Amino acid sequence: MNVPFLTDGQIHLSADSFLQKYHHTLDIPVPIEEIIEQKLDIQILSIKGFESGCEVSGSLSKDFKTILIDEDEFERQIQRARFTLAHEVGHSVLHHQLFTQSGGFNDLDSFIKFQNNLIDKDYKKLEIQAYRFAEEIIFPREKLKKIIEEEVKVLGGLPSLNVNDLNSILSKICQEFDASERAVFNKIKRDYPNIIEIAESATSF
Amino acid sequence: MDFHQFIRKKRLELGLTLRKFCKQNSYDTGYISRLETGLFLPPNSERRLEKLANAYGIQKGTQDWVEFSNLSDVAKHQIPKEIDSRVINFLPAFFRKASKKEVKKADVEKLLKLIKGRQKK
């Protein structure tokens, strides 16, 4: 399988078009489970011991009709589960055609062969693309921008931010978008690195 | 329409996600999601079957009840091999272990076992 490179702009476009089609109000937190089950007609299969047994917390079935997710994560780590589900939706939107064109697999032997033939470079591309797509739908860009700007203003402006302010911003975003701290931190680090740099440099003195 | 498709349709008509439905009716998400994907058979006990129907908003004596009962009877008569042959459809499109180790037959067997789950009698 030859996985094409997708720019962030291409992924943004796909995510924007997805949100426009399935959640045009852009209300947050984005109701990812409702979108998956009711609008995309994808089933969720909750599997006990999936992560400990298979070293993955989520996967998309070969017919792209079911998302497999670790039961403990789904039931008890809801914010993390929301991101995992959005990530699998990312595969569904971005990689369905690619998988079909590759011929996929039909039995256990061809499954093993297919997975082991997928080179690391291609697998990484698939994962990064699905991850970025998930970020774009869990944190709709304009909503995130607005909340960050409001928070920064309340805290006295960008130059005066310290680590406590940064934590307060991150916590507000977690709450508003129903997202895990880790997902929020990664998103801010990539899209708003100046906030983290300023807050951390204020603390180092 | 099969039993699993029927009950899933009923849940979606109630406007409930898997999570909300299970929370509201004190079911494990693993159990309901396997029932709704046809990996588990409907319960044998009448009491459990009625509880299930009730959770899906299906009242005794209605046309939905007749359909629910008929479809569950058909589903219960499936032979295990039929279910086994369906499990393969749930294999992940893209699968790599966090350790990045090569996927072996034992991994797939474990994966299939986890997907299938074990239905309580």
Side-chain angles (χ1 to χ4, degrees), chain A residues 147-148 151-173 188 195-196 198-200 202-203:
Chain A
I147 286 173
I148 289 178
E151 283 302 294
V152 168
K153 198 175 168 188
V154 168
L155 293 166
L158 199 54
S160 66
L161 293 185
N162 59 36
V163 163
N164 288 337
D165 297 331
L166 173 64
N167 288 335
S168 156
I169 293 171
L170 295 177
S171 158
K172 174 81 176 170
I173 299 170
I188 301 305
I195 291 183
I196 292 176
I198 290 169
E200 285 179 347
T203 312

Side-chain angles (χ1 to χ4, degrees), chain A:
Chain A
M1 188 158 65
N2 189 14
V3 180
F5 175 77
L6 295 179
T7 63
D8 281 352
Q10 286 171 305
I11 295 171
H12 289 178
L13 275 178
S14 293
D16 289 349
S17 138
F18 178 88
L19 286 171
Q20 183 58 38
K21 191 169 176 188
Y22 299 111
H23 188 57
H24 65 92
T25 63
L26 298 183
D27 288 342
I28 51 169
V30 172
I32 190 67
E33 289 172 29
E34 281 83 352
I35 294 173
I36 288 172
E37 290 206 85
Q38 290 165 349
K39 299 185 176 174
L40 300 174
D41 199 22
I42 290 177
Q43 294 188 274
I44 294 171
L45 181 58
S46 167
I47 300 173
K48 197 173 200 151
F50 192 41
E51 187 163 21
S52 57
C54 297
E55 302 181 27
V56 287
S57 71
S59 279
L60 185 63
S61 66
K62 80 182 192 84
D63 60 7
F64 283 65
K65 288 180 180 167
T66 307
I67 292 174
L68 288 65
I69 187 164
D70 183 82
E71 186 181 276
D72 184 67
E73 177 178 318
F74 185 62
E75 293 189 355
R76 281 171 276 280
Q77 304 173 62
I78 298 173
Q79 294 178 329
R80 189 177 162 215
R82 283 169 48 74
F83 200 88
T84 300
L85 293 169
H87 178 107
E88 300 311 324
V89 170
H91 283 305
S92 165
V93 172
L94 303 172
H95 307 133
H96 194 172
Q97 205 182 354
L98 195 66
F99 180 78
T100 309
Q101 282 168 353
S102 75
F105 49 85
N106 294 311
D107 54 32
L108 303 191
D109 289 335
S110 56
F111 169 79
I112 294 170
K113 198 173 168 194
F114 179 88
Q115 304 302 343
N116 289 333
N117 280 349
L118 193 56
I119 59 170
D120 274 352
K121 197 176 145 196
D122 277 342
Y123 188 77
K124 270 184 196 159
K125 272 195 248 175
L126 292 171
E127 288 305 297
I128 289 170
Q129 290 166 6
Y131 185 93
R132 296 268 158 83
F133 184 93
E135 281 190 334
E136 289 302 307
I137 56 173
I138 291 291
F139 307 106
R141 222 167 313 121
E142 288 306 313
K143 291 275 180 183
L144 182 63
K145 185 169 178 253
K146 189 168 173 257
I147 286 173
I148 289 178
E149 282 172 358
E150 282 169 5
E151 283 302 294
V152 168
K153 198 175 168 188
V154 168
L155 293 166
L158 199 54
S160 66
L161 293 185
N162 59 36
V163 163
N164 288 337
D165 297 331
L166 173 64
N167 288 335
S168 156
I169 293 171
L170 295 177
S171 158
K172 174 81 176 170
I173 299 170
C174 287
Q175 193 190 325
E176 293 282 341
F177 293 88
D178 200 7
S180 70
E181 279 179 30
R182 188 174 168 185
V184 170
F185 184 79
N186 287 343
K187 179 69 177 164
I188 301 305
K189 197 174 173 186
R190 180 172 17 262
D191 288 2
Y192 297 89
N194 55 338
I195 291 183
I196 292 176
E197 281 162 22
I198 290 169
E200 285 179 347
S201 65
T203 312
S204 61
F205 291 107

